[in-house]
């Protein structure tokens, strides 16, 4: 794999570093596939400052209630574009004490009232339904799940927080600067046993840490694309999220065309390819024949190694991964990976899972059946489960015998459910090691609870190698080690009637008088204050990890059972990373309540006395008091807006960071009225400091490059420093000034 350190021109399909005679870089940039799609969806006058509207949207049952509640409060009367609401994340009867079906009934009633599309529980995981029914060449889809990626089907898809979807629902635009575009130039053909997750993990390992494609578009081109099936491309594409890219797009061909014909939508196909000359801001050349069977060790998809290399150096690599994981766990509990090395040097795995939008696809499960047919998972501790990505996939696997082959070998065949990917399905025992073909292996994604002394480890692998491990009784095995497997891939026949009989499609037919069905755990968003002239915040959590994931900011899994109750869900904020955060944030919020009641708390009065030493004269009536966190690089991972909204409903007013890991999280902070400050000198801050920001509202609205800040230490010491807010649109500044997106729509 080669990562070019300069821009690259694709000339008649061949990469070169210099422009052909008479061609400018600016003109050649218009030759990418991405440029044409973005231009078609841009409603603004400039291609440098995009103002986009999408063709459709999608959400699952962790996010759609909050989005609809936001849009209702902002004046929405009907869905202005097709909006698919799937129920694949909280599909169990009850998790954590609330009844998830209440949310599902809310979504069905919203589909009637506003004209939406409702996919019942266990019918399909979110991204598979959208691939099958909503994708189309040249289209754009916005989803409130970070793995909203349909580029392999010619559809630019973007995963964002709920605020961005609410904007579309009230007729506003998705605003951003034109992104960089990086070519992923594929050649060669994967070796037998090497699956899409292997290719994806190799790409994530090569790009995540160096930020090569961060907030950019990954555009897959080159002769190697033709050597990949549609399912294989989809499996690679969904994992582009883990590189921190903004979106993805692939050149289309007869394979893409056949996919749409197969799914009864031939009109959704059109050829997409770069112009004869196209300029890319970067280029990754990848020979698919060089990719090996991979494993991503805990606790990130980028910690990837060839399985061959891991087995040859098991003690060294597992010790390093174990040490790294335990540093990240902060001493709460100890992960033991080295203990999985047997006396004979083999590595033992306790569980294998193939699931979701990345693992549960038709071809992946067919490959699993081919590998495990006639064999046995063993009757020891090893467990093996398979989750299909949609009921049409399930039906075809029943018809072709794949389900029978897997179950006959001791595997468990389950429903269409995203649980194993976010910590709510097939939770391993304490100390166990699980290998999964899912999208993420972040901390606690397998459902373990370090605060209660439980930790298990997840590694990501392709379905083929997981099946090979299952067939070998749980001893880690790469599919490429098998020499007696014939991969059959029976023809796929999509049965749309499965959806026609169960999915409610009310697009274009809203029923305004239809009553929304509210369960007792569905609550409105609490009111949020506008930004005052000055601001005083207290740092109530100080996180020095290189990266802080959104799962650490608000854990996934059982905590999501309160996803429709903002105050109850907020109780879990940073619960696994910093349990002191919630009580500390609440204490600061109580100080602001006293202030608004006309009483200046003694703690705040002391801070104001210290500030007067520098000549400041804080006006309590015009200075909100809020909480804040510092983290080096927060926001890697999920698009769930709750990572920001939970901080906000607890009184959060700002975040301080050296860098924001993703646009998604930063946008969520903005939409919830939390100032996303950047600091160049994090040493100026510490946990427990108050930070005073004089004239913050004026500086924000006037787009000042820097803002003055003063850290007031617990001992009365004062440290002056500056902060930045980074690039923002005028609307984003106004949202922050108004206090949140809902306030912004009420005021404008």
């Amino acid at each position: 794999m080669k990562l070019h350190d300069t821009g690259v021109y694709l000339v008649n399909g061949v990469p070169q570093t210099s422009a052909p005679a008479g061609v400018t870089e600016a003109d050649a940039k218009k030759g990418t596939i991405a440029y044409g799609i973005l231009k078609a969806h841009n409603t603004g006058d400039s291609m440098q400052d995009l103002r986009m509207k999408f063709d459709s949207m999608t959400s699952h049952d962790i996010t759609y209630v909050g989005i609809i509640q936001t849009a209702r409060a902002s004046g929405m009367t009907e869905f202005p574009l097709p909006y698919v609401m799937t129920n694949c994340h909280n599909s169990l009867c009850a998790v954590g004490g609330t009844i998830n079906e209440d949310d599902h009934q809310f979504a069905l009633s919203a589909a009637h009232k506003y004209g939406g599309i409702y996919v019942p529980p266990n019918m399909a995981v979110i991204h598979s339904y959208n691939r099958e029914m909503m994708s189309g060449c040249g289209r754009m889809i916005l989803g409130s799940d970070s793995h909203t990626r349909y580029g392999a089907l010619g559809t630019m898809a973007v995963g964002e927080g709920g605020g961005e979807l609410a904007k579309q629902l009230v007729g506003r635009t998705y605003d951003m600067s034109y992104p960089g575009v990086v070519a992923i130039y594929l050649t060669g053909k994967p070796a037998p046993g090497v699956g899409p997750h292997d290719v994806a993990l190799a790409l994530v390992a090569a790009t995540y840490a160096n930020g090569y494609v961060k907030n950019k578009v990954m555009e897959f081109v080159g002769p190697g694309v033709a050597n990949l099936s549609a399912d294989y491309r989809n499996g690679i594409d969904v994992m582009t999220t883990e590189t921190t890219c903004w979106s993805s797009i692939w050149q289309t061909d007869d394979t893409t065309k056949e996919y749409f014909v197969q799914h009864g939508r031939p009109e959704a196909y059109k050829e997409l390819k770069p112009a004869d000359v196209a300029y890319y801001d970067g280029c990754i050349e990848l020979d698919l024949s060089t990719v090996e069977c991979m494993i991503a060790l805990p606790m990130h998809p980028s910690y990837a190694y060839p399985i061959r290399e891991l087995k040859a150096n098991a003690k060294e690599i597992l010790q390093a991964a174990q040490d790294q994981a335990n540093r990240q766990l902060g001493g709460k509990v100890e992960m033991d990976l080295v203990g999985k090395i047997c006396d004979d040097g083999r590595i033992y795995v306790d569980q294998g899972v193939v699931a979701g939008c990345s693992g549960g696809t038709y071809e992946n499960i067919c490959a699993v059946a081919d590998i495990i047919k006639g064999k046995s998972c063993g009757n020891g501790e090893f467990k093996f489960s398979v989750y299909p990505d949609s009921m049409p996939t399930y039906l075809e696997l029943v018809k072709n015998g794949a389900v029978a082959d897997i179950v006959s070998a001791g595997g468990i065949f389950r429903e269409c459910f995203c649980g194993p990917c976010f910590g709510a399905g097939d939770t391993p025992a304490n100390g166990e090691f699980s290998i999964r073909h899912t999208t993420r292996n972040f901390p606690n994604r397998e459902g373990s609870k370090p605060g209660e002394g439980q930790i298990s480890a997840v590694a990501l692998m392709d379905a083929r190698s997981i099946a090979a491990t299952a067939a070998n009784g749980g001893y880690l095995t790469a599919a490429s080690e098998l020499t007696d497997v014939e991969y059959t891939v029976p023809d796929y026949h999509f049965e749309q009637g499965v959806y026609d009989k169960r999915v409610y499609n009310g697009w274009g037919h809203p029923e305004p008088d239809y009553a929304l069905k509210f369960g007792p755990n569905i609550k409105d968003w609490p009111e949020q204050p506008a930004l005052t002239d000055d601001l005083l915040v207290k740092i109530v959590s100080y996180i020095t990890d290189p990266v802080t994931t959104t799962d650490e900011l608000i854990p996934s899994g059982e905590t999501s059972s309160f996803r429709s109750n903002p105050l109850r869900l907020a109780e879990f904020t940073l619960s696994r990373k910093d349990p002191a955060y919630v009580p500390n944030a609440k204490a600061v919020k109580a100080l602001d309540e006293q202030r608004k009641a006309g009483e200046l708390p003694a703690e705040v009065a002391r801070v104001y006395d210290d500030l007067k030493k520098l000549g400041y004269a804080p006006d309590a009536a015009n200075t909100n008091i809020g909480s804040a966190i510092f983290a080096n690089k927060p926001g890697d991972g999920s698009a769930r807006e709750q990572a920001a909204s939970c901080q906000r409903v607890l009184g959060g007013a700002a975040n301080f960071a050296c860098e924001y890991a993703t646009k998604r999280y930063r946008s969520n902070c903005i939409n919830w009225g939390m100032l996303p400050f950047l600091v160049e000198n994090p040493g100026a801050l510490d946990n427990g400091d108050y930070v005073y920001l004089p004239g913050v509202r004026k500086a924000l609205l006037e787009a000042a490059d820097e803002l003055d800040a003063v850290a007031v230490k617990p001992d009365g010491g004062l440290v002056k420093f500056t902060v930045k807010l980074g690039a923002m649109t005028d609307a984003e500044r106004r949202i922050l000034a108004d206090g949140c997106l809902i306030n912004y729509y009420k005021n404008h």
Side-chain angles (χ1 to χ4, degrees):
M1 192 182 311
K2 177 182 178 181
L3 279 65
H4 288 257
D5 56 10
T6 63
V8 166
Y9 291 86
L10 201 63
V11 182
N12 295 318
V14 179
Q16 61 182 51
T17 55
S18 58
V23 175
T24 66
E25 179 182 307
D27 285 339
K29 280 189 172 184
K30 300 176 183 178
T32 65
I33 303 170
Y35 182 90
I37 296 175
L38 293 173
K39 188 174 189 300
H41 291 81
N42 181 29
T43 65
D45 298 328
S46 168
M47 280 298 289
Q48 296 309 307
D49 297 304
L50 300 173
R51 303 290 181 264
M52 291 184 290
K53 290 194 173 182
F54 289 78
D55 296 295
S56 66
M57 300 199 312
T58 189
S59 296
H60 49 57
D61 47 351
I62 285 180
T63 56
Y64 58 55
V65 173
I67 292 165
I68 293 169
Q69 292 286 68
T70 300
R72 286 179 63 233
S74 303
M76 178 194 69
T77 56
E78 65 179 67
F79 294 155
L81 73 170
Y83 186 18
V84 175
M85 294 169 283
T86 65
N87 296 278
C88 50
H89 276 58
N90 284 290
S91 303
L92 304 178
C93 178
V95 177
T98 68
I99 300 174
N100 300 315
E101 186 68 10
D102 284 354
D103 286 354
H104 304 159
Q105 291 303 305
F106 173 88
L108 179 57
S109 67
H112 278 278
K113 185 177 184 67
Y114 301 119
I117 301 168
Y118 173 82
V119 183
N122 304 126
M123 286 299 295
V125 302
I126 177 172
H127 304 308
S128 296
Y129 183 86
N130 280 276
R131 289 172 188 154
E132 293 168 344
M133 302 300 294
M134 306 302 293
S135 62
C137 297
R139 295 182 188 175
M140 290 191 74
I141 296 177
L142 182 65
S144 55
D145 182 89
S146 52
H147 292 97
T148 307
R149 291 284 190 270
Y150 318 124
L153 299 172
T155 306
M156 285 188 70
V158 181
E160 279 283 3
E164 294 301 321
L165 278 77
K167 288 178 183 177
Q168 297 283 308
L169 290 178
V170 294
R172 304 298 178 102
T173 57
Y174 179 96
D175 303 339
M176 65 177 289
S177 299
Y178 187 82
V181 183
V182 175
I184 315 300
Y185 189 79
L186 301 180
T187 59
K189 182 179 182 179
V194 173
H197 225 34
D198 298 315
V199 178
L201 293 176
L203 278 168
V204 173
T207 58
Y208 172 76
N210 58 25
Y212 191 78
V213 295
K214 181 178 177 179
N215 292 331
K216 297 180 173 68
V217 178
M218 295 176 75
E219 185 159 307
F220 289 78
V221 294
V225 173
N227 295 325
L228 305 177
S229 69
D231 256 11
Y232 205 112
R233 299 176 197 182
N234 285 330
I236 297 171
D237 186 64
V238 72
M239 286 295 290
T240 58
T241 296
E242 302 312 317
T243 67
T244 70
C245 78
W246 175 72
S247 187
S248 64
I249 192 67
W250 292 56
Q251 66 186 45
T252 62
D253 55 18
D254 286 345
T255 298
T256 323
K257 183 177 182 179
E258 175 57 27
Y259 179 92
F260 288 116
V261 170
Q262 191 178 65
H263 288 79
R265 299 190 294 119
E267 74 286 350
Y269 175 76
K270 69 177 178 181
E271 185 182 35
L272 300 175
K273 64 180 182 179
D276 290 344
V277 179
Y279 177 80
Y280 294 89
D281 300 281
C283 178
I284 299 172
E285 294 190 53
L286 175 58
D287 180 352
L288 294 166
S289 68
T290 66
V291 177
E292 299 183 61
C293 293
M294 303 289 289
I295 181 170
L297 294 172
M299 293 184 289
H300 199 275
S302 65
Y303 301 159
Y305 298 85
I307 296 175
R308 169 194 54 77
E309 182 180 340
L310 172 62
K311 293 175 71 171
N313 304 280
K315 177 67 167 64
E316 176 187 350
I317 293 175
L318 289 181
Q319 184 69 59
Q322 175 178 302
D323 291 346
Q324 179 172 258
N326 287 330
R327 284 194 299 272
Q328 196 168 342
L329 290 166
K332 297 183 183 71
V333 67
E334 292 289 315
M335 181 181 292
D336 179 14
L337 294 174
V338 175
K340 297 301 176 183
I341 303 174
C342 303
D343 291 341
D344 59 7
R346 292 187 295 175
I347 300 170
Y348 186 74
V349 176
D350 301 284
Q351 181 193 59
V353 177
V354 174
C357 57
S358 63
T361 61
Y362 177 74
E363 288 184 10
N364 280 344
I365 297 177
C366 285
V368 166
D370 288 334
I371 291 169
I372 207 168
K373 182 177 182 179
K375 298 182 174 65
S376 171
C377 299
N379 56 4
E381 294 183 1
F382 181 80
K383 289 84 65 177
F384 182 46
S385 299
V386 177
Y387 296 70
D389 65 347
S390 74
M391 287 306 286
T393 296
Y394 197 163
L395 177 60
E396 193 66 9
L397 292 166
V398 169
K399 289 180 177 179
N400 69 26
V403 173
D405 291 337
I406 292 169
V407 173
S408 296
I412 304 298
F413 211 89
R414 299 194 186 274
E415 70 280 6
C416 311
F417 180 42
C418 297
C421 193
F422 71 95
D426 273 301
T427 302
N430 180 50
E432 288 195 338
F433 186 26
S434 176
I435 52 175
R436 301 185 174 205
H437 191 149
T438 56
T439 54
R440 287 198 174 123
N441 59 339
F442 287 176
N444 318 124
R445 278 265 164 169
E446 77 293 348
S448 62
K449 299 178 181 180
E452 297 181 18
Q454 191 220 15
I455 185 66
S456 45
V458 164
L460 300 184
M461 285 170 47
D462 187 80
R464 292 151 188 79
S465 292
I466 295 173
T469 300
N472 198 16
Y475 293 99
L476 189 69
T477 305
S480 56
E481 297 175 43
L482 306 180
T483 59
D484 60 345
V485 177
E486 180 182 353
Y487 293 102
T488 57
V489 192
D491 288 343
Y492 178 67
H493 305 93
F494 176 70
E495 178 51 69
Q496 185 173 325
V498 174
Y499 289 147
D500 293 341
K501 294 179 178 70
R502 288 291 295 125
V503 173
Y504 174 76
N505 189 340
W507 164 239
H509 304 285
E511 303 169 49
D513 296 330
Y514 201 98
L516 291 176
K517 294 184 180 180
F518 289 90
N521 198 48
I522 297 176
K523 305 296 184 184
D524 290 334
W525 291 109
E527 292 187 7
Q528 301 301 331
L531 180 64
T532 46
D533 294 340
D534 305 329
L535 180 65
L536 182 69
V537 296
K538 186 177 184 180
I539 306 295
V540 293
S541 187
Y542 192 90
I543 303 170
T544 58
D545 292 349
V547 177
T548 303
T549 69
T550 46
D551 276 36
E552 292 171 298
L553 293 167
I554 180 65
S556 58
E558 86 288 350
T559 61
S560 299
S561 62
F562 294 104
R563 64 210 163 274
S564 305
N565 187 331
L567 292 174
R568 291 288 298 278
L569 182 62
E571 294 288 333
F572 294 98
T573 312
L574 279 168
S575 58
R576 294 176 184 168
K577 188 67 183 175
D578 182 1
Y581 170 81
V582 170
N584 288 342
K586 285 182 174 180
V588 175
K589 188 173 184 180
L591 296 177
D592 197 50
E593 295 298 329
Q594 286 182 257
R595 177 195 69 84
K596 288 188 288 187
E599 176 186 348
L600 186 64
E603 181 177 340
V604 177
R606 190 267 303 167
V607 171
Y608 283 176
D609 287 342
D610 292 331
L611 287 168
K612 289 174 184 176
K613 299 172 186 176
L614 292 179
Y616 293 106
D619 176 6
N622 290 305
T623 306
N624 285 346
I625 304 169
S627 58
I629 67 169
F630 169 82
N632 278 316
K633 187 179 177 182
D636 182 29
S638 176
R640 285 176 294 130
E641 66 180 296
Q642 292 99 326
S645 66
C646 284
Q647 296 172 59
R648 184 60 167 159
V649 301
L650 289 171
N655 279 341
F656 295 88
C658 299
E659 177 186 353
Y660 288 87
T662 61
K663 176 192 176 298
R664 295 188 295 274
Y665 176 66
R666 183 174 180 270
S667 294
N668 287 339
C669 290
I670 292 169
N671 286 329
W672 280 107
M674 290 199 305
L675 294 153
F677 289 125
L678 293 165
V679 293
E680 294 183 356
N681 178 22
L685 296 171
D686 205 348
N687 206 21
D689 288 356
Y690 276 94
V691 180
Y692 180 59
L693 297 132
V696 63
R697 183 181 178 92
K698 182 174 184 291
L700 167 71
L701 292 175
E702 293 181 354
D705 291 332
E706 291 186 339
L707 294 80
D708 292 329
V710 183
V712 182
K713 304 294 180 177
D715 63 1
L718 301 167
V719 178
K720 296 183 72 173
F721 64 106
T722 58
V723 294
K724 296 181 179 180
L725 282 169
M728 287 187 187
T729 65
D730 290 341
E732 287 176 325
R733 295 181 184 279
R734 193 74 247 178
I735 291 167
L736 285 167
D738 288 346
C740 67
L741 186 66
I742 295 173
N743 293 354
Y744 171 74
Y745 286 133
K746 286 179 179 177
N747 297 339
H748 307 279

